[in-house]
Amino acid sequence: MIIKKCYIENFGVLSKRAFYFDSGLTEICEENGMGKSTLAVFIKAMLFGFDKNKRKDLDENERKKYKPWQKGNYGGYLDFEVKGKLYRIEKSFDDTEGDRVRLIDLASGGDTEDFDKDNLGASIFGIDEGGYEKSAYLSQRDPSCFKSDRLYTKLSDLLEEENDMGSYEDAMKLLEEAESPYKKRGGNDRITAIENEISQALSDLAAAEKHEELLSQAMPDKDALSKKLEVLEAEQKKANAEYAAAIEWEKYKRYKQAKDSYEAAIKDKSVAEATFNGKIPTSDELDDIERKLKVIDLEQSKHDEAKAELKEAQNKQNLLSAGETPEQKRIIELKELLFKEGLPAEGEIDEAIKAYRKSSDLKARLSEPLPPYKPDYKKLFLGSKVALSLAIVGVIVLIAGILIEILADRIAGKVVYAAGILSFAAGAYIVIAKYLKGKNEHSESHKKSVRGEYDIEEKKVRDFLARYGMTEKDPFEAIMQISKKLSEYVALSEKVSDEAKEAAEKIEELTLKIAEAENKIIGLKTEVSLYLRERGEEADDLYQAYKNLRDRLNIYEIRRGIEVAAKRNLENCEKPEREFEDTQQEYDTRELRQTLNKLSADIDETRKALIRLDNDIAYHTDYAAQKCYYKEKTETLKERLKKEKYYRWIVQKTKACLEKAKNNLAEKYIGEIRYAFGRYLSVVTGKKIEVLVNQELGYEIHEGGQYRDIKYFSRGYRDLFDICQRLALADALFKDEKPFLILDDPFKNLDDKKMQAANKLLAEIASKYQVIYFVCHTSRKLGLS
Amino acid sequence: MKIIHCADIHLGSALTAHFNKEVADKRNNEVTLTFERLAEAARSQGVRAVIIAGDLFDQKSVKKSLIDTVLKAIAGAPDTDFLYLKGNHDKDTPFPPEDMPENLKVFGTDWTYFDYGDVTIAGVRLTKENCASVYGTLNLKAGRTNIVVMHGKLVRTSGKAPEDAVNILKLAGKNIDYLALGDYHAYQKDKLDGRGIYCYSGCLEGRGFDEFGEKGYVLLECKRGNISDEFVPFAKRSVIVLEADISGAGGQADIEKAIGTAVQGIGKENLVRVRLTGLLSPETYKGINYLTQKFADRFYYFGIKDETRVKIDYEACKDGVSLKSEFIRTVLADASLDEEQKEHIIAMGINALMGERYEL
């Protein structure tokens, strides 16, 4: 590729600038800041566009860094030649509308698709921007900046085709990851895991086959057991028939026995029944008889008791009649002592007590002061007409006198006045005198009255006491005593009276009672006796007769019960289907039963065995049914194992081939690089230099009889050597379409002598490459363009 | 009179060769359910006999519960006779049990005949002992409608056929109107002789992707001495295998589109496998796992089988200056590898260089 012309519309500091390039060396010497590096970046942007990163650091975001400050189109175009054909790449960078790119065939003037316009550099050279930067573009940065990179990384960067994102290392890492499941230790790898699964599946399959085998063995056993069951069931059937006959015989026997028993019971009952003369007593009737007998006993007891009581009452009555009772004797005594004259009348003692109390009161009053005189004032004032008249006249005259004194004559008034006073006073005197009189009379009469009353009462008490001969004693005490004695007398009298009455009543009552009892007893006895006789009991001792009857009834009841039971028994007995001869031989039902039981047990056992066997068969069947599953599983796992082994082998083989390819590549290019490197070193040093290049693109220079590390050399030499190395790399890599080389002042560290060597080198490469050489100092101008 | 001819039901199959255990179990149950549906259909349609031409069960050992299910289904159609011929898979299966339903009849190792009106159905189980002599002992009247039931693969030989093979050459001219066969799992019929035809009914349900296509039974109508046959699709689900040529596909998106086109119109209830074929660039990422999962919801079961080949531009990499080219050259130069291995290694290596995992 040859760059012909570069037109910058606006890019960084450059605006509306055109640059023309020779096919060989184009030297551009300008001061710092004039845009040399900008031009280099513009060319790179035309070929590769901008990196799409959005980093803020300007040094890492060239799109932002070179955005023109002035308005206008951000971009430009590049005219270039490839294989004799002229093209133009136009680019306009626009963050809003998007970048516009055109690739124009300058001969036709129209757009062309000979190359990918969006990735022109890669399309033409087969390298991406990174590869371009590392090879064709030698910037001012340390030329040996990639020295530490591995060769294959550089190569892969340089040699990556479009859209190829991987690298050898990443690829190997991916393959390692793919292989890692197969490399785990301790039997944890995938292959071992599948083999273990196969083992397990085979084991399961063997188990299923074993179950199938057991199943095969179980089936004949089942047949045998089934046959055995058949035989047993046949025997059971036969035994059942015989047993049935035995049962029938037993049934017949039982029925006959029941029938005989029933007939015997009827007969016995009839015998018992006959003793009752056709009148069979009932239990209730006998209970009634018993009750009556008890009543008879009871009545008899009552009768006897009543009789005793009657005798006692009669005795008492006799005593009372004779007056011989203690009470009667006491009454007589009291009469003798106190009540010869007769008993005190009702209320007399109370009167005596009252009289005593009153006399005591009166006596006390005699010594008490008089009660205050309270006259009847109305009568006192208004009762005496004279007094009243005088008083009234006196008031009138008084008033008249006052009036006269006031109104007329004082002396006359006074006189009248005085007359009035005198009249009133006379009236008042009469009243007072009346009062005094009354008071005296009151006092006298009071005394007289009290004394009189006292005497009366006193006499009453004395008279009372005298009647009972108790005058010497204290009156009150004497009255009390009399009262007490009277109470006693009365009480005793009443008692005696009551007793007599009671005795009479009792005698009457008892007599009645006795009569009733006797009647009752006779009646009941007659009744009971008749009842018993009718039923065949003739005994004087009714109770014994009752007992006998009761016994006979019990016997009858028992026999009747036996008859009922025998009847029920007969009814419950199953009627035999047939009759048997009496000569029929006994069946040994016990033995038959035992045989049947044994057969039943055997059949049961056999059935259980069959069930167990069926269960076993089902169990084996279930497992055996899994056989095809395990078989398929085994096959599937084997297939999978095969695939996994194949996959592992493919991964390993891929790794091996990739490594081999890497080494081949390295070997191929190392040789070429070594040759080119040696050649370029010879140019700069003027002598033949042997160089050793390793796969990491590290190199050693043969100097002083041995290969020496680059670090042994001076900085200037190292710069030169690195440039040679990169040129050698470019030589090795770009065989078809040579790229242009941009050297952005790479020799700034060289001294004059080495600068001459650099000149030679540039001349050498300019013969093969289009070289665009930027320099900012005239001392580094080459003067070759 | 209606008669159903079915075969190769293979109840109790494992099915894990094609599906995981969960799907396999479900599918197994569906096969059993289809048999039950068949019995119910026979009952409801008044079918006089159902011919089961072998391999009712998949293997010798069968769970009792499954046997009970089958017996119950048969007993549920008491007016329909089930004529059962054992096949090579179920010849040792302990079925039917002694207490089998009355309407279940079994063909033995000698010709067993069942008459229904003017129709005779004869069947025999081929064994090592009878495989040679059986053809000579078949006795069918010319005036009746004759159906013969056998199980085995077809051969035509005048010599001795293998014991599990049906020699149709020796069955020609035996007054057979319809030879009801079992063993082959796809519906197939052809002329037997001048009078009759032979027919494989195929299986009732496809059990794997090797049994794709319509499955069902053959309904025979016998009327006035004539017999007509009609295949009745009866499977609950179809097994469908489709091909999608993804040659030149740029990536997963293109492949997805191709699969989408291939499965268009396929019902949700089916089991679908898409075979990817064609030549692909080794850089093309297929994303098989992702695509399988993406389409899984659309069908009862979905799988992808990658049968693509890697397209290697030998010319481009001959002189290519790249690790990739060098790698390809290295692999191609290895004489110890066969073509397929080379393709796989190259595809894996290229994908690794692209940062992608490659699955075979």
Side-chain angles (χ1 to χ4, degrees), chain A residues 19 143 238 542 576 648 653 668:
Chain A
F19 295 89
K238 189 177 162 200
L542 289 178
R648 180 182 60 179
K653 204 70 185 163
K668 193 187 293 184

Side-chain angles (χ1 to χ4, degrees), chain B residues 8-23:
Chain B
D8 298 291
I9 299 166
H10 285 278
L11 298 171
S13 304
L15 302 184
T16 47
H18 298 276
F19 311 114
N20 61 38
K21 184 97 179 35
E22 190 191 335
V23 174

Side-chain angles (χ1 to χ4, degrees), chain A residues 735-778:
Chain A
K735 298 228 175 1
D736 290 335
E737 190 59 40
K738 296 285 185 201
F740 55 87
L741 303 178
I742 297 179
L743 278 65
D744 188 359
D745 213 353
F747 304 122
K748 61 183 185 298
N749 292 326
L750 300 184
D751 57 34
D752 290 343
K753 190 177 174 190
K754 290 187 185 62
M755 203 51 230
Q756 285 176 13
N759 265 334
K760 283 186 196 170
L761 182 65
L762 274 175
E764 169 72 24
I765 60 175
S767 64
K768 290 188 295 183
Y769 293 93
Q770 179 188 28
V771 178
I772 302 169
Y773 178 54
F774 295 119
V775 69
C776 63
H777 199 279
T778 51

Side-chain angles (χ1 to χ4, degrees), chain A residues 41 167 171 268 290 334 350 419 474 498 622 682 714 717 720 729:
Chain A
V41 175
S167 67
D268 285 345
E290 189 181 3
L334 281 172
D350 289 336
D474 176 67
D498 288 341
D622 278 352
S682 303
S714 69
Y717 267 124
L720 262 180
L729 199 59

